[in-house]
Amino acid sequence: MEAVITLLAGALLIVLGTRLIHRLNAQHDARIAARHFGDPYPSLSRPSGRSRPRPPERIADRRATGAWP
């Protein structure tokens, strides 16, 4: 009798585990579906924080770094 109860408890744990994993996978799939991956040419769009491009940096304004002569 104890063996039957142990087997039923084990089967119940397996069923609950598979249901939990299934629900987590469904939640993950919904998150992936809501996110638009692979927008066409994302590097061509300008960042929203800037309205105008910055002026080019002049060589005279650069500060020397490192020990290279």
Side-chain angles (χ1 to χ4, degrees), residues 16-48:
L16 290 175
T18 55
R19 288 187 58 124
L20 175 66
I21 290 172
H22 178 71
R23 290 187 65 191
L24 289 173
N25 282 339
Q27 184 181 19
H28 187 252
D29 290 342
R31 284 184 186 170
I32 289 175
R35 175 85 165 91
H36 299 289
F37 290 102
D39 290 337
Y41 307 111
S43 62
L44 295 180
S45 64
R46 186 170 293 178
S48 61

